[in-house]
Amino acid sequence: MKLMNAKGVRDFPPEEKIIRQKVVDTLRETFEEFGFNPLETPEIERFETLSSKYAGGDEILKEIFKLKDQGGRKLGLRYDLTIPLARFIGMNPNLKMPFKRYEIGRVYRDGPIKLGRYREFWQCDVDTVGSKSMLADAEILAIADRGFKKLGLKTVIKINNRKILDGILLSTGVKENKWIDAILSIDKLEKQGKNEVKKELEQKKIASTSKIFKLIQKKENNKKTLDNLKSFISNDIGKEGIAEMEELLKLLKSFKVSVDFDPSLARGLAYYTGPVYEVFLEKSEIKSSIAAGGRYDEMVGKFVGKEDAYPATGISFGLEVITDALSSKEKKKSVVDVYVIPIKTTSESIKIAQKLRNSGIKIDMDISGRGISKNLNYANALDIPYVIFVGEKELKQKKVKLRDMKTGKEQLLSINNLVKKLKK
Amino acid sequence: MKLMNAKGVRDFPPEEKIIRQKVVDTLRETFEEFGFNPLETPEIERFETLSSKYAGGDEILKEIFKLKDQGGRKLGLRYDLTIPLARFIGMNPNLKMPFKRYEIGRVYRDGPIKLGRYREFWQCDVDTVGSKSMLADAEILAIADRGFKKLGLKTVIKINNRKILDGILLSTGVKENKWIDAILSIDKLEKQGKNEVKKELEQKKIASTSKIFKLIQKKENNKKTLDNLKSFISNDIGKEGIAEMEELLKLLKSFKVSVDFDPSLARGLAYYTGPVYEVFLEKSEIKSSIAAGGRYDEMVGKFVGKEDAYPATGISFGLEVITDALSSKEKKKSVVDVYVIPIKTTSESIKIAQKLRNSGIKIDMDISGRGISKNLNYANALDIPYVIFVGEKELKQKKVKLRDMKTGKEQLLSINNLVKKLKK
């Protein structure tokens, strides 16, 4: 038997998993600081749920991993965390609203494999269900801002509003039944460029493209972009979108979060109804968004069968791409703080290791009875920062010898002083 | 469409997920304090891997969730974390040994549903690969002891050694080709009682049952149990098992871990080769083990095709049963520390909430503009311990009003004093 992974899925050895966990822990902490509670939904859903017409749509339907249980029931692996959220809400009508939850977990898409595209990946989602307030959107953006700051990543948060896009299209004479088609084409602007999008719009029989491009163009700053739109858009939907944008920008000022209003930002999902947002890295090789979301006031209600009952907004963080952005500089091979080398002192070394653990220090210890140089090689290979030697000579003085693996410096220390030094 | 879960899988609402996360976080912390690093393997494996003859065996084979990708490849959902570990080791021959890893994740079994048996559940596994030393086993048991102490659970750790069982069977005249059959019957002693096991052993044509029962009986303490066995067992395999047990007990003394040597403990998996262990709750309704494992020196090597290359030992913690043991006393409905109620002070309230978050305090805030009594009801329903009111009157004094939701007591405090009080 040849040992190999299934196609499109991966192992994460410690040096990669450590950084993935750091990202997940940081996001979790941020979500909780904003009062979001954890929810866990299963990875297996009924196929009927995943393929509901209000769910992910045809493109995603093709990519569902299908399975059956022994009872012959049709099942599938979830492809996002939003459909399970909608199902959970429908099954729990007595939930207190607004329901603010986060979920971090794996999702699956049986699609083509490319660089950076896998069949099993993690999403970190945070959503507020049951509030139409722009304050809910402002919180989501403040989470993105805070989460990335904690991770040490410099980002640009782009925002727009689907109602503004609708207003632009209405004001340029595009018929309502073509709005979503047009918006899904505009979504490709960043990737495919103006000419390609123009061609696509014309194929879709949307004429006034140059007028559209003029309106979705960004001006020098958020205020000027808004002023420009205000002078052209007089329809209700567009004005509503502009008012939401003004309120959102005002709230974000209180949160001290800077955003970049970009009327060309569209987002590639049909279900968005209000603010939409995408987060990009500043000056990075990584050009795709590292978190994205928006307001979807109708999706959950339609899914659940109670129209308008569940306005919602949320964002999804892409664990893989965030980890890629961090890993070049922050890769660690081991969580271990100190490696203990007993020199014929197993029992005493165990006791010392246990004492250090009681101070929360992460301790590995030679269990193989190797010689000193092999042990040092091992600690080196795993990038463990400190080694302590526990010999009988040292024990007589109630001390151990600490070696800083970077500098090679050694120091004789009591256990208490060792703890003090390591906890600094 | 009726909204429902797939059969045998569950949602975990916040009040259940919070406690599940607490268990996972505590175990993770403990694993890392012992120098184990995280590994993540995929939940989808090639069917060929899962059904290898050195893997879980026939019983489990029936319960694999099978699926195919669009390329028609045969796949399955993993049913444990040990096979993925063995595959990972086989695919990474340059790993530094001993390889100490933990993995926490979901596994799947498409079996019958009963109380406490689901088709999707979590395992928390910690294993050392590449060491024959009893010190590796002692570490695993010290982790179990420490992890459960941190969780506030009183436990009994039972240990035995497969070589001792082999020695007992050899000394009572059972032929070697019947040993594993006999051991798998003895494993049922606790659940089915002596008479049933006796019957089963006789059906398997194992005669000397009364002699076996005499030997696997526990005496008053570990030393007497060992002495009893020593006086009866003179074969090499049994003597080796006894020597390992003596060494392990000595090491555990250095770790200050108490265990209960029980020669009837067998564990229901064929692949164990040395020490085996199960952890039970002291004085609890829950009678099944809450963590279990043992030494399996041959399995990985056979799986990988390098016999004897990968001695290993490890334990698996059952997240579901541990959570059940804790949840009656520790259920929390929300992670939130403080709920902020703005009284026409949205912008100022946001700023205060952000300041509190900067101190790591978990803050929820009214985003719906509800009245005070509705807001208090909401905070009450979610068991949030504190509420603060932010009114213009308070703001003029640069203070906020803190309400202790348990006692109903209210207090006017500056933000700095509020942080001090909450961080206590």
Side-chain angles (χ1 to χ4, degrees), chain B residues 287-301:
Chain B
K287 300 293 173 203
S288 58
S289 68
I290 59 173
R295 180 165 276 281
Y296 50 105
D297 280 348
E298 293 165 13
M299 193 275 264
V300 180

Side-chain angles (χ1 to χ4, degrees), chain A residues 12 17 25 28 33 37 40 43 70 87 100 108 110 122 146 254 335 347 357-358 364, chain B residues 11-12 17 25 28 33 37 40 43 70 87 100 108 110 122 146 254 335 347 357-358 364:
Chain A
F12 296 96
K17 181 65 177 173
D25 289 344
R28 241 179 84 187
E33 280 167 0
N37 283 305
E40 179 184 326
E43 287 173 6
Q70 292 205 45
R87 180 193 48 68
K100 296 169 69 176
Y108 300 87
D110 184 12
W122 287 63
R146 188 180 180 85
S254 298
V335 298
S347 168
R357 285 175 186 129
N358 288 340
D364 194 8
Chain B
D11 293 314
F12 296 96
K17 182 64 179 175
D25 289 345
R28 240 179 86 186
E33 280 167 358
N37 283 305
E40 179 185 326
E43 287 172 8
Q70 292 204 47
R87 180 193 47 67
K100 296 170 70 175
Y108 299 87
D110 185 14
W122 287 63
R146 186 179 181 87
S254 298
V335 298
S347 168
R357 286 176 185 128
N358 288 341
D364 194 6

Side-chain angles (χ1 to χ4, degrees), chain B residues 10 12 20 42 84-85 88 106 153 162 179 181 191 212 229 256 258 264 313 319 321 380 409:
Chain B
R10 291 168 294 168
F12 296 96
R20 283 165 77 81
L85 171 64
F88 177 80
R106 302 192 211 213
L153 292 173
R162 277 284 175 93
W179 289 356
D181 276 357
K191 270 190 195 146
I212 293 173
L229 288 173
K256 294 187 182 150
S258 311
S264 76
T313 187
L319 179 58
V321 65
N380 236 333
K409 271 190 193 157

Side-chain angles (χ1 to χ4, degrees), chain A residues 1-7 9-14 17-18 20-21 25 28 32-44 46 48-49 52 62 65-70 73 75 77-78 87-88 90-91 96-100 102 106 108 110 119-120 122 128 131 133 135-136 139 146 251 254-255 303 333-336 346-347 350-351 354 357-358 360-364 366-368 370 378 381, chain B residues 1-7 9-14 17-18 20-21 25 28 32-44 46 48-49 52 62 65-70 73 75 77-78 87-88 90-91 96-100 102 106 108 110 119-120 122 128 131 133 135-136 139 146 251 254-255 303 333-336 346-347 350-351 354 357-358 360-368 370 378 381:
Chain A
M1 181 179 63
K2 190 163 184 278
L3 295 174
M4 53 194 280
N5 278 112
K7 189 171 180 186
V9 306
R10 290 168 296 168
D11 293 316
F12 296 96
K17 181 65 177 173
I18 289 169
R20 284 167 75 81
Q21 285 203 333
D25 289 344
R28 241 179 84 187
E32 294 194 355
E33 280 167 0
F34 278 81
F36 287 76
N37 283 305
L39 173 71
E40 179 184 326
T41 60
E43 287 173 6
I44 296 176
R46 295 168 71 229
E48 198 188 345
T49 304
S52 149
K62 276 190 282 180
F65 272 109
K66 296 173 195 71
L67 56 159
K68 280 185 186 172
D69 68 7
Q70 292 205 45
R73 295 170 190 87
L75 308 170
L77 301 183
R78 66 180 180 195
R87 180 193 48 68
F88 177 79
M91 287 172 66
K96 284 274 160 194
M97 290 290 143
F99 180 61
K100 296 169 69 176
Y102 69 90
R106 303 192 210 212
Y108 300 87
D110 184 12
R119 290 182 172 168
E120 178 180 65
W122 287 63
T128 298
S131 169
S133 166
L135 197 36
E139 278 188 350
R146 188 180 180 85
L251 289 167
S254 298
F255 277 105
F303 188 87
K333 286 187 188 153
S334 167
V335 298
V336 171
T346 303
S347 168
I350 290 172
K351 286 176 192 164
Q354 289 290 81
R357 285 175 186 129
N358 288 340
I361 298 167
K362 293 170 183 167
I363 301 292
D364 194 8
D366 175 33
I367 55 174
S368 312
R370 288 181 289 215
Y378 176 85
Chain B
M1 178 178 68
K2 191 163 183 277
L3 294 173
M4 53 195 278
N5 278 112
K7 190 171 179 184
V9 307
R10 291 168 294 168
D11 293 314
F12 296 96
K17 182 64 179 175
I18 289 169
R20 283 165 77 81
Q21 285 203 333
D25 289 345
R28 240 179 86 186
E32 294 192 355
E33 280 167 358
F34 279 81
F36 288 76
N37 283 305
L39 173 71
E40 179 185 326
T41 60
E43 287 172 8
I44 296 177
R46 294 168 73 228
E48 197 188 346
T49 304
S52 148
K62 276 189 283 181
F65 273 109
K66 296 173 194 71
L67 57 160
K68 279 185 187 172
D69 68 7
Q70 292 204 47
R73 295 170 189 88
L75 309 169
L77 300 183
R78 67 182 179 192
R87 180 193 47 67
F88 177 80
M91 287 171 66
K96 283 273 159 191
M97 291 290 146
F99 179 61
K100 296 170 70 175
Y102 70 89
R106 302 192 211 213
Y108 299 87
D110 185 14
R119 288 182 175 170
E120 178 181 65
W122 287 63
T128 299
S131 169
S133 166
L135 196 37
E139 277 188 349
R146 186 179 181 87
L251 289 166
S254 298
F255 278 105
F303 188 87
K333 285 186 188 154
S334 168
V335 298
V336 172
T346 304
S347 168
I350 290 172
K351 287 175 191 164
Q354 289 289 83
R357 286 176 185 128
N358 288 341
I361 299 167
K362 292 170 184 167
I363 300 293
D364 194 6
M365 175 174 154
D366 176 33
I367 55 174
S368 313
R370 288 181 290 213
Y378 175 86

